Amino acid sequence: MATGIGLAEVYDVDPVANAQPTNLSARAFVGTGNDVLIGIPSSGGTGTSLLRVLVRALGPSLASAGVTTPLANPTLSLRDANGNVIASNDNWKDSRRAAIAATGKARSNDNESAILGLLAPGNYTAIVAGKNGTTGVALVEFYSLP
């Protein structure tokens, strides 16, 4: 099996239909150093309209889905188009616990990470790494919330 970098893109080719993805995700092996999982969502909308989003980094719960080497303790950072960190999280219950739980998308494992926020239109980067240099398979997810 070969390894490498992959790219998946989603386009709305019919602007009249006003389609909007509600969930995007990517799964990959997270190593050490710069060998991280990177997801690049684009916040839709125009002008100053804000999009409510939930970004999650999963690792431990992947074991129940048959992943044999899940990332034991993922960390998550969300960056703007200039690379500035606008939010970060280690354990999802550490930040906005009640609000994240109210989305219905909270995880049972405290070591998984989540960021809930409002994003202006633009490009963002989510970076998943292993806490203290841990490695394994992780999943990064982006949800557009009402």
Side-chain angles (χ1 to χ4, degrees), residues 43-61:
S43 170
T46 58
T48 59
S49 61
L50 298 176
L51 182 65
R52 185 172 178 243
V53 299
L54 176 68
V55 184
R56 299 190 315 185
L58 308 183
S61 65

mmCIF file with all atom_site columns, all heavy atoms in Angstrom, residues 43-61:
data_model
loop_
_atom_site.group_PDB
_atom_site.id
_atom_site.type_symbol
_atom_site.label_atom_id
_atom_site.label_alt_id
_atom_site.label_comp_id
_atom_site.label_asym_id
_atom_site.label_entity_id
_atom_site.label_seq_id
_atom_site.pdbx_PDB_ins_code
_atom_site.Cartn_x
_atom_site.Cartn_y
_atom_site.Cartn_z
_atom_site.occupancy
_atom_site.B_iso_or_equiv
_atom_site.pdbx_formal_charge
_atom_site.auth_seq_id
_atom_site.auth_comp_id
_atom_site.auth_asym_id
_atom_site.auth_atom_id
_atom_site.pdbx_PDB_model_num
ATOM 1   N N   . SER A 1 43 ? -15.824 28.585 4.688  1.00 0.00 ? 43 SER A N   1
ATOM 2   C CA  . SER A 1 43 ? -17.089 29.037 5.237  1.00 0.00 ? 43 SER A CA  1
ATOM 3   C C   . SER A 1 43 ? -17.836 29.793 4.158  1.00 0.00 ? 43 SER A C   1
ATOM 4   O O   . SER A 1 43 ? -17.361 30.791 3.648  1.00 0.00 ? 43 SER A O   1
ATOM 5   C CB  . SER A 1 43 ? -16.832 29.950 6.444  1.00 0.00 ? 43 SER A CB  1
ATOM 6   O OG  . SER A 1 43 ? -18.018 30.570 6.850  1.00 0.00 ? 43 SER A OG  1
ATOM 7   N N   . GLY A 1 44 ? -18.994 29.290 3.781  1.00 0.00 ? 44 GLY A N   1
ATOM 8   C CA  . GLY A 1 44 ? -19.783 29.922 2.723  1.00 0.00 ? 44 GLY A CA  1
ATOM 9   C C   . GLY A 1 44 ? -20.423 31.199 3.200  1.00 0.00 ? 44 GLY A C   1
ATOM 10  O O   . GLY A 1 44 ? -20.216 31.658 4.311  1.00 0.00 ? 44 GLY A O   1
ATOM 11  N N   . GLY A 1 45 ? -21.233 31.759 2.356  1.00 0.00 ? 45 GLY A N   1
ATOM 12  C CA  . GLY A 1 45 ? -21.937 32.984 2.706  1.00 0.00 ? 45 GLY A CA  1
ATOM 13  C C   . GLY A 1 45 ? -21.330 34.182 2.017  1.00 0.00 ? 45 GLY A C   1
ATOM 14  O O   . GLY A 1 45 ? -20.313 34.094 1.345  1.00 0.00 ? 45 GLY A O   1
ATOM 15  N N   . THR A 1 46 ? -21.986 35.291 2.193  1.00 0.00 ? 46 THR A N   1
ATOM 16  C CA  . THR A 1 46 ? -21.511 36.519 1.572  1.00 0.00 ? 46 THR A CA  1
ATOM 17  C C   . THR A 1 46 ? -21.504 37.632 2.604  1.00 0.00 ? 46 THR A C   1
ATOM 18  O O   . THR A 1 46 ? -22.184 37.556 3.631  1.00 0.00 ? 46 THR A O   1
ATOM 19  C CB  . THR A 1 46 ? -22.428 36.920 0.400  1.00 0.00 ? 46 THR A CB  1
ATOM 20  O OG1 . THR A 1 46 ? -23.757 37.077 0.907  1.00 0.00 ? 46 THR A OG1 1
ATOM 21  C CG2 . THR A 1 46 ? -22.405 35.877 -0.697 1.00 0.00 ? 46 THR A CG2 1
ATOM 22  N N   . GLY A 1 47 ? -20.752 38.661 2.314  1.00 0.00 ? 47 GLY A N   1
ATOM 23  C CA  . GLY A 1 47 ? -20.721 39.825 3.179  1.00 0.00 ? 47 GLY A CA  1
ATOM 24  C C   . GLY A 1 47 ? -20.293 39.481 4.589  1.00 0.00 ? 47 GLY A C   1
ATOM 25  O O   . GLY A 1 47 ? -19.247 38.894 4.799  1.00 0.00 ? 47 GLY A O   1
ATOM 26  N N   . THR A 1 48 ? -21.128 39.829 5.550  1.00 0.00 ? 48 THR A N   1
ATOM 27  C CA  . THR A 1 48 ? -20.777 39.621 6.948  1.00 0.00 ? 48 THR A CA  1
ATOM 28  C C   . THR A 1 48 ? -21.565 38.488 7.590  1.00 0.00 ? 48 THR A C   1
ATOM 29  O O   . THR A 1 48 ? -21.555 38.348 8.808  1.00 0.00 ? 48 THR A O   1
ATOM 30  C CB  . THR A 1 48 ? -21.008 40.915 7.751  1.00 0.00 ? 48 THR A CB  1
ATOM 31  O OG1 . THR A 1 48 ? -22.387 41.282 7.625  1.00 0.00 ? 48 THR A OG1 1
ATOM 32  C CG2 . THR A 1 48 ? -20.099 42.031 7.271  1.00 0.00 ? 48 THR A CG2 1
ATOM 33  N N   . SER A 1 49 ? -22.276 37.687 6.786  1.00 0.00 ? 49 SER A N   1
ATOM 34  C CA  . SER A 1 49 ? -23.049 36.591 7.366  1.00 0.00 ? 49 SER A CA  1
ATOM 35  C C   . SER A 1 49 ? -22.117 35.582 8.025  1.00 0.00 ? 49 SER A C   1
ATOM 36  O O   . SER A 1 49 ? -21.067 35.248 7.503  1.00 0.00 ? 49 SER A O   1
ATOM 37  C CB  . SER A 1 49 ? -23.897 35.897 6.294  1.00 0.00 ? 49 SER A CB  1
ATOM 38  O OG  . SER A 1 49 ? -23.065 35.350 5.290  1.00 0.00 ? 49 SER A OG  1
ATOM 39  N N   . LEU A 1 50 ? -22.490 35.117 9.217  1.00 0.00 ? 50 LEU A N   1
ATOM 40  C CA  . LEU A 1 50 ? -21.676 34.180 9.976  1.00 0.00 ? 50 LEU A CA  1
ATOM 41  C C   . LEU A 1 50 ? -22.271 32.785 9.879  1.00 0.00 ? 50 LEU A C   1
ATOM 42  O O   . LEU A 1 50 ? -23.491 32.623 9.812  1.00 0.00 ? 50 LEU A O   1
ATOM 43  C CB  . LEU A 1 50 ? -21.584 34.604 11.437 1.00 0.00 ? 50 LEU A CB  1
ATOM 44  C CG  . LEU A 1 50 ? -20.928 35.960 11.703 1.00 0.00 ? 50 LEU A CG  1
ATOM 45  C CD1 . LEU A 1 50 ? -20.989 36.291 13.188 1.00 0.00 ? 50 LEU A CD1 1
ATOM 46  C CD2 . LEU A 1 50 ? -19.501 35.976 11.221 1.00 0.00 ? 50 LEU A CD2 1
ATOM 47  N N   . LEU A 1 51 ? -21.413 31.786 9.884  1.00 0.00 ? 51 LEU A N   1
ATOM 48  C CA  . LEU A 1 51 ? -21.831 30.402 9.836  1.00 0.00 ? 51 LEU A CA  1
ATOM 49  C C   . LEU A 1 51 ? -21.470 29.746 11.161 1.00 0.00 ? 51 LEU A C   1
ATOM 50  O O   . LEU A 1 51 ? -20.320 29.823 11.609 1.00 0.00 ? 51 LEU A O   1
ATOM 51  C CB  . LEU A 1 51 ? -21.120 29.684 8.680  1.00 0.00 ? 51 LEU A CB  1
ATOM 52  C CG  . LEU A 1 51 ? -21.467 28.225 8.457  1.00 0.00 ? 51 LEU A CG  1
ATOM 53  C CD1 . LEU A 1 51 ? -22.926 28.081 8.047  1.00 0.00 ? 51 LEU A CD1 1
ATOM 54  C CD2 . LEU A 1 51 ? -20.565 27.643 7.376  1.00 0.00 ? 51 LEU A CD2 1
ATOM 55  N N   . ARG A 1 52 ? -22.452 29.108 11.799 1.00 0.00 ? 52 ARG A N   1
ATOM 56  C CA  . ARG A 1 52 ? -22.217 28.397 13.058 1.00 0.00 ? 52 ARG A CA  1
ATOM 57  C C   . ARG A 1 52 ? -21.672 27.022 12.717 1.00 0.00 ? 52 ARG A C   1
ATOM 58  O O   . ARG A 1 52 ? -22.290 26.262 11.971 1.00 0.00 ? 52 ARG A O   1
ATOM 59  C CB  . ARG A 1 52 ? -23.513 28.286 13.852 1.00 0.00 ? 52 ARG A CB  1
ATOM 60  C CG  . ARG A 1 52 ? -23.349 27.679 15.216 1.00 0.00 ? 52 ARG A CG  1
ATOM 61  C CD  . ARG A 1 52 ? -24.650 27.799 16.009 1.00 0.00 ? 52 ARG A CD  1
ATOM 62  N NE  . ARG A 1 52 ? -24.505 27.164 17.299 1.00 0.00 ? 52 ARG A NE  1
ATOM 63  C CZ  . ARG A 1 52 ? -25.205 26.117 17.698 1.00 0.00 ? 52 ARG A CZ  1
ATOM 64  N NH1 . ARG A 1 52 ? -26.124 25.598 16.908 1.00 0.00 ? 52 ARG A NH1 1
ATOM 65  N NH2 . ARG A 1 52 ? -25.012 25.589 18.885 1.00 0.00 ? 52 ARG A NH2 1
ATOM 66  N N   . VAL A 1 53 ? -20.496 26.699 13.246 1.00 0.00 ? 53 VAL A N   1
ATOM 67  C CA  . VAL A 1 53 ? -19.840 25.440 12.914 1.00 0.00 ? 53 VAL A CA  1
ATOM 68  C C   . VAL A 1 53 ? -19.376 24.697 14.166 1.00 0.00 ? 53 VAL A C   1
ATOM 69  O O   . VAL A 1 53 ? -19.126 25.297 15.207 1.00 0.00 ? 53 VAL A O   1
ATOM 70  C CB  . VAL A 1 53 ? -18.611 25.653 11.987 1.00 0.00 ? 53 VAL A CB  1
ATOM 71  C CG1 . VAL A 1 53 ? -19.008 26.294 10.673 1.00 0.00 ? 53 VAL A CG1 1
ATOM 72  C CG2 . VAL A 1 53 ? -17.545 26.470 12.679 1.00 0.00 ? 53 VAL A CG2 1
ATOM 73  N N   . LEU A 1 54 ? -19.271 23.386 13.993 1.00 0.00 ? 54 LEU A N   1
ATOM 74  C CA  . LEU A 1 54 ? -18.636 22.535 14.982 1.00 0.00 ? 54 LEU A CA  1
ATOM 75  C C   . LEU A 1 54 ? -17.540 21.785 14.259 1.00 0.00 ? 54 LEU A C   1
ATOM 76  O O   . LEU A 1 54 ? -17.776 21.172 13.220 1.00 0.00 ? 54 LEU A O   1
ATOM 77  C CB  . LEU A 1 54 ? -19.635 21.541 15.586 1.00 0.00 ? 54 LEU A CB  1
ATOM 78  C CG  . LEU A 1 54 ? -19.037 20.532 16.566 1.00 0.00 ? 54 LEU A CG  1
ATOM 79  C CD1 . LEU A 1 54 ? -18.564 21.233 17.839 1.00 0.00 ? 54 LEU A CD1 1
ATOM 80  C CD2 . LEU A 1 54 ? -20.041 19.444 16.892 1.00 0.00 ? 54 LEU A CD2 1
ATOM 81  N N   . VAL A 1 55 ? -16.321 21.868 14.771 1.00 0.00 ? 55 VAL A N   1
ATOM 82  C CA  . VAL A 1 55 ? -15.180 21.132 14.221 1.00 0.00 ? 55 VAL A CA  1
ATOM 83  C C   . VAL A 1 55 ? -14.767 20.133 15.293 1.00 0.00 ? 55 VAL A C   1
ATOM 84  O O   . VAL A 1 55 ? -14.592 20.505 16.459 1.00 0.00 ? 55 VAL A O   1
ATOM 85  C CB  . VAL A 1 55 ? -14.001 22.076 13.880 1.00 0.00 ? 55 VAL A CB  1
ATOM 86  C CG1 . VAL A 1 55 ? -12.872 21.304 13.230 1.00 0.00 ? 55 VAL A CG1 1
ATOM 87  C CG2 . VAL A 1 55 ? -14.459 23.221 12.988 1.00 0.00 ? 55 VAL A CG2 1
ATOM 88  N N   . ARG A 1 56 ? -14.641 18.863 14.901 1.00 0.00 ? 56 ARG A N   1
ATOM 89  C CA  . ARG A 1 56 ? -14.267 17.823 15.870 1.00 0.00 ? 56 ARG A CA  1
ATOM 90  C C   . ARG A 1 56 ? -13.036 17.079 15.390 1.00 0.00 ? 56 ARG A C   1
ATOM 91  O O   . ARG A 1 56 ? -12.839 16.891 14.192 1.00 0.00 ? 56 ARG A O   1
ATOM 92  C CB  . ARG A 1 56 ? -15.390 16.795 16.049 1.00 0.00 ? 56 ARG A CB  1
ATOM 93  C CG  . ARG A 1 56 ? -16.660 17.338 16.563 1.00 0.00 ? 56 ARG A CG  1
ATOM 94  C CD  . ARG A 1 56 ? -17.667 16.279 16.965 1.00 0.00 ? 56 ARG A CD  1
ATOM 95  N NE  . ARG A 1 56 ? -17.814 15.186 16.021 1.00 0.00 ? 56 ARG A NE  1
ATOM 96  C CZ  . ARG A 1 56 ? -18.707 14.208 16.146 1.00 0.00 ? 56 ARG A CZ  1
ATOM 97  N NH1 . ARG A 1 56 ? -19.528 14.192 17.183 1.00 0.00 ? 56 ARG A NH1 1
ATOM 98  N NH2 . ARG A 1 56 ? -18.795 13.241 15.260 1.00 0.00 ? 56 ARG A NH2 1
ATOM 99  N N   . ALA A 1 57 ? -12.229 16.627 16.344 1.00 0.00 ? 57 ALA A N   1
ATOM 100 C CA  . ALA A 1 57 ? -11.096 15.742 16.079 1.00 0.00 ? 57 ALA A CA  1
ATOM 101 C C   . ALA A 1 57 ? -11.328 14.479 16.892 1.00 0.00 ? 57 ALA A C   1
ATOM 102 O O   . ALA A 1 57 ? -11.355 14.521 18.117 1.00 0.00 ? 57 ALA A O   1
ATOM 103 C CB  . ALA A 1 57 ? -9.776  16.397 16.468 1.00 0.00 ? 57 ALA A CB  1
ATOM 104 N N   . LEU A 1 58 ? -11.526 13.366 16.203 1.00 0.00 ? 58 LEU A N   1
ATOM 105 C CA  . LEU A 1 58 ? -11.803 12.096 16.864 1.00 0.00 ? 58 LEU A CA  1
ATOM 106 C C   . LEU A 1 58 ? -10.608 11.175 16.768 1.00 0.00 ? 58 LEU A C   1
ATOM 107 O O   . LEU A 1 58 ? -9.879  11.190 15.778 1.00 0.00 ? 58 LEU A O   1
ATOM 108 C CB  . LEU A 1 58 ? -13.022 11.419 16.222 1.00 0.00 ? 58 LEU A CB  1
ATOM 109 C CG  . LEU A 1 58 ? -14.282 12.264 16.088 1.00 0.00 ? 58 LEU A CG  1
ATOM 110 C CD1 . LEU A 1 58 ? -15.404 11.419 15.501 1.00 0.00 ? 58 LEU A CD1 1
ATOM 111 C CD2 . LEU A 1 58 ? -14.684 12.863 17.405 1.00 0.00 ? 58 LEU A CD2 1
ATOM 112 N N   . GLY A 1 59 ? -10.427 10.378 17.773 1.00 0.00 ? 59 GLY A N   1
ATOM 113 C CA  . GLY A 1 59 ? -9.363  9.380  17.789 1.00 0.00 ? 59 GLY A CA  1
ATOM 114 C C   . GLY A 1 59 ? -9.814  8.148  18.547 1.00 0.00 ? 59 GLY A C   1
ATOM 115 O O   . GLY A 1 59 ? -10.102 7.116  17.953 1.00 0.00 ? 59 GLY A O   1
ATOM 116 N N   . PRO A 1 60 ? -9.932  8.243  19.883 1.00 0.00 ? 60 PRO A N   1
ATOM 117 C CA  . PRO A 1 60 ? -10.254 7.074  20.683 1.00 0.00 ? 60 PRO A CA  1
ATOM 118 C C   . PRO A 1 60 ? -11.532 6.347  20.263 1.00 0.00 ? 60 PRO A C   1
ATOM 119 O O   . PRO A 1 60 ? -11.577 5.120  20.247 1.00 0.00 ? 60 PRO A O   1
ATOM 120 C CB  . PRO A 1 60 ? -10.397 7.633  22.100 1.00 0.00 ? 60 PRO A CB  1
ATOM 121 C CG  . PRO A 1 60 ? -9.572  8.867  22.102 1.00 0.00 ? 60 PRO A CG  1
ATOM 122 C CD  . PRO A 1 60 ? -9.686  9.426  20.714 1.00 0.00 ? 60 PRO A CD  1
ATOM 123 N N   . SER A 1 61 ? -12.566 7.080  19.886 1.00 0.00 ? 61 SER A N   1
ATOM 124 C CA  . SER A 1 61 ? -13.837 6.438  19.540 1.00 0.00 ? 61 SER A CA  1
ATOM 125 C C   . SER A 1 61 ? -13.777 5.685  18.214 1.00 0.00 ? 61 SER A C   1
ATOM 126 O O   . SER A 1 61 ? -14.671 4.902  17.908 1.00 0.00 ? 61 SER A O   1
ATOM 127 C CB  . SER A 1 61 ? -14.973 7.463  19.514 1.00 0.00 ? 61 SER A CB  1
ATOM 128 O OG  . SER A 1 61 ? -14.776 8.395  18.479 1.00 0.00 ? 61 SER A OG  1
#
